[in-house]
Amino acid sequence: MRTTFFTTICAALLLASCAVYKPSPVDLNRDGTEWYMVSTRLCPPGSSMSQGSMRSIGLLLNPDLNKARLSYAAETEASRYAGLWEDPSLSVEGVRVLRENFNNNSIGPSLSIPVTGLPSLARTIAEQYTEADYWSMRAQERTFLSDLEILRYDILVIHAKQEMIRRRLDQVKQEKQTIDRLYSLGEVELSDYQASCQRYNDTMKESQELENEHLAKRHELISRLGLHPAVGEIELEGSLPAGVPGLVTPPTVEQLLESPELHSMLASYGASETELRSEIRKQYPDLRIGPSLTREEGNNKIGIGVEMSLPLWNRNRQGIAKASGAREVKHHDTIALWRKMQQDVSALTARQKLAAEHCRTEYTRLQSLQETGRRQEQLFQLGETSLPALADARHEIFQRRMSYLDCLGTLLGIQTKLQYINPFYQP
């Protein structure tokens, strides 16, 4: 499901909710109940979660994304009222002439006419900042999906390691029991006995470390998805690639120009340009015009007044200086972001190439060791090799499998970042 769909739907709903102010006290108990019901409906306990449903749930419930959507909805609502004219004013005056015993009254409405065009510029600034918030929200969604995909691969790697280490731990226990019996009979040397104990302890420790890592990753996944912790352990569908995956094509410079981060920064820079124009316009006066109706000594009089400031000394120099400095900062930030994006693509491309080489090297070594291990198993069945030698070969294969999974997880993480940095990539 595409990011733009959730962006449009969620922003529209949040914008509609902000249209009228409705005071709603915080009820944490009710919120906890609703949160639990929504979480268990989207992710029933004991169910498995596909890659698509994981993205959908995360885009819907992640608190950081919803906060960004609320900010965008608030800015959109506020921009509708940007650049409104000043309200007209009304002055009423009454004078009592004591000796002559009559009253003089006057009424004078006045209206400020923004001949400098400041309201129009204010509307433009609000629209540009709203556009910047929109692209920033889109960029935040893509970053979230990238991090979520990397977390998914990390969990799949841990699952593969746990399955492998469970089988290896059962095997090591059997090896240790046999070697212990042979050592008690004097048929195994002390060094082989110590190596067997060391393998068992190391494998047990590695299994415990994996359990801790899996627990941390599981809670991180629940937190990122915005689910209630009562959903328990989430089973993920899918598996790791069977071999070394092919290289991901890095985005071109032309493709990077369409990235939401750059669009957001360019819109923000455009707003700073308009703000500078607005500050320059403020050094020129607006007109304030007002007709008046006066009754004086029994006679009705009609007049008109025009008011304007005289910018002799101030001329808004401080505001212009601040806006000019802010524009230069935004200009620097835009250029810096553009350069950083190109540096990131170059670094990720180099890291992908190196990680793929390491992954292929480990895969080749693993294939060779597995072939050697099969021959060792056959020789052991024929009685032509010892159990300690076979145990060493089995443990070396196990270590190479674990190392290959580490390389594969690193490669998949780099490729995920490289994919999502391309603005045209759709998960």
Side-chain angles (χ1 to χ4, degrees):
M1 194 169 294
R2 295 189 176 183
T3 305
T4 52
F5 173 77
F6 285 96
T7 300
T8 305
I9 295 300
C10 295
L13 291 175
L14 293 171
L15 179 60
S17 65
C18 294
V20 179
Y21 173 72
K22 298 179 180 179
S24 55
V26 176
D27 190 341
L28 298 180
N29 291 327
R30 184 182 62 185
D31 175 77
T33 302
E34 294 176 352
W35 184 26
Y36 173 77
M37 293 176 62
V38 171
S39 299
T40 53
R41 184 168 63 249
L42 294 175
C43 183
S47 63
S48 58
M49 182 181 296
S50 65
Q51 187 176 7
S53 62
M54 181 184 66
R55 292 170 181 158
S56 302
I57 293 173
L59 289 172
L60 185 64
L61 296 182
N62 181 263
D64 294 332
L65 294 182
N66 285 328
K67 181 180 178 180
R69 290 166 185 146
L70 282 172
S71 299
Y72 171 65
E75 289 293 333
T76 302
E77 182 69 14
S79 66
R80 294 174 53 193
Y81 306 103
L84 297 179
W85 282 26
E86 292 185 10
D87 291 330
S89 62
L90 181 65
S91 60
V92 178
E93 182 180 359
V95 178
R96 174 74 174 180
V97 182
L98 298 179
R99 290 185 178 182
E100 302 297 333
N101 195 23
F102 60 82
N103 297 327
N104 293 332
N105 303 314
S106 66
I107 181 171
S110 63
L111 176 67
S112 179
I113 302 177
V115 295
T116 56
L118 289 177
S120 177
L121 292 177
R123 285 193 296 270
T124 302
I125 293 171
E127 291 171 358
Q128 288 172 322
Y129 275 123
T130 301
E131 181 183 2
D133 288 341
Y134 168 76
W135 288 113
S136 177
M137 181 179 61
R138 289 287 306 276
Q140 191 170 347
E141 288 178 344
R142 290 186 67 85
T143 301
F144 167 77
L145 289 175
S146 175
D147 294 341
L148 187 64
E149 189 72 13
I150 293 173
L151 179 59
R152 175 178 176 270
Y153 281 131
D154 290 342
I155 293 176
L156 290 179
V157 168
I158 291 175
H159 286 173
K161 284 184 175 182
Q162 285 183 317
E163 181 63 27
M164 188 184 306
I165 207 169
R166 275 194 291 266
R167 295 196 301 265
R168 177 58 186 154
L169 194 57
D170 293 339
Q171 194 177 52
V172 168
K173 288 179 180 179
Q174 295 177 1
E175 293 172 354
K176 185 176 182 303
Q177 290 174 358
T178 304
I179 292 176
D180 288 349
R181 186 170 60 254
L182 293 175
Y183 177 72
S184 63
L185 297 175
E187 298 182 7
V188 171
E189 296 182 359
L190 176 62
S191 59
D192 293 332
Y193 170 75
Q194 291 176 339
S196 174
C197 295
Q198 186 66 38
R199 278 194 300 269
Y200 175 78
N201 293 331
D202 291 345
T203 307
M204 180 65 69
K205 179 182 178 182
E206 195 166 359
S207 176
Q208 294 172 350
E209 291 175 351
L210 274 178
E211 289 177 351
N212 292 330
E213 187 177 1
H214 179 260
L215 180 64
K217 293 292 183 181
R218 179 173 69 84
H219 285 289
E220 182 181 353
L221 177 61
I222 293 175
S223 177
R224 282 184 181 272
L225 294 179
L227 292 171
H228 195 282
V231 299
E233 185 172 352
I234 299 177
E235 295 294 334
L236 298 179
E237 296 180 359
S239 59
L240 296 171
V244 180
L247 297 180
V248 173
T249 303
T252 63
V253 174
E254 291 75 14
Q255 290 174 330
L256 287 179
L257 289 172
E258 300 300 324
S259 65
E261 295 92 342
L262 196 58
H263 276 300
S264 176
M265 190 62 71
L266 288 172
S268 181
Y269 172 72
S272 69
E273 284 273 10
T274 311
E275 285 177 336
L276 177 58
R277 290 170 52 198
S278 177
E279 293 297 331
I280 293 175
R281 295 277 187 92
K282 287 180 182 179
Q283 67 180 328
Y284 304 108
D286 284 332
L287 293 179
R288 192 168 188 87
I289 186 171
S292 62
L293 174 62
T294 305
R295 182 174 180 80
E296 185 176 350
E297 298 180 358
N299 297 318
N300 294 327
K301 300 178 181 180
I302 297 178
I304 187 169
V306 178
E307 179 184 350
M308 61 181 297
S309 62
L310 297 178
L312 299 178
W313 300 286
N314 184 10
R315 302 187 66 181
N316 198 33
R317 293 177 182 177
Q318 184 181 22
I320 294 174
K322 288 184 177 180
S324 178
R327 182 193 62 173
E328 294 304 318
V329 171
K330 291 291 180 64
H331 180 271
H332 172 270
D333 291 343
T334 304
I335 297 298
L337 174 63
W338 170 238
R339 293 177 179 178
K340 182 179 183 300
M341 291 175 64
Q342 297 180 73
Q343 291 170 347
D344 289 345
V345 170
S346 178
L348 287 172
T349 302
R351 289 179 58 196
Q352 177 189 217
K353 182 179 178 181
L354 184 61
E357 291 178 358
H358 291 171
C359 201
R360 283 191 292 266
T361 300
E362 288 295 330
Y363 188 75
T364 302
R365 293 174 63 186
L366 177 59
Q367 295 294 322
S368 177
L369 284 173
Q370 286 178 337
E371 181 63 28
T372 303
R374 284 191 288 268
R375 290 197 297 267
Q376 287 280 86
E377 294 285 352
Q378 293 173 357
L379 291 175
F380 179 74
Q381 294 296 331
L382 297 175
E384 297 183 7
T385 187
S386 63
L387 179 59
L390 178 62
D392 287 338
R394 287 173 175 174
H395 201 67
E396 177 65 19
I397 294 173
F398 164 74
Q399 289 178 333
R400 292 281 67 79
R401 285 174 177 170
M402 299 290 281
S403 179
Y404 168 72
L405 287 176
D406 288 333
C407 292
L408 181 60
T410 301
L411 177 60
L412 292 174
I414 294 173
Q415 290 184 335
T416 300
K417 292 181 179 179
L418 199 55
Q419 286 173 332
Y420 276 93
I421 205 174
N422 187 345
F424 294 97
Y425 173 73
Q426 293 295 338

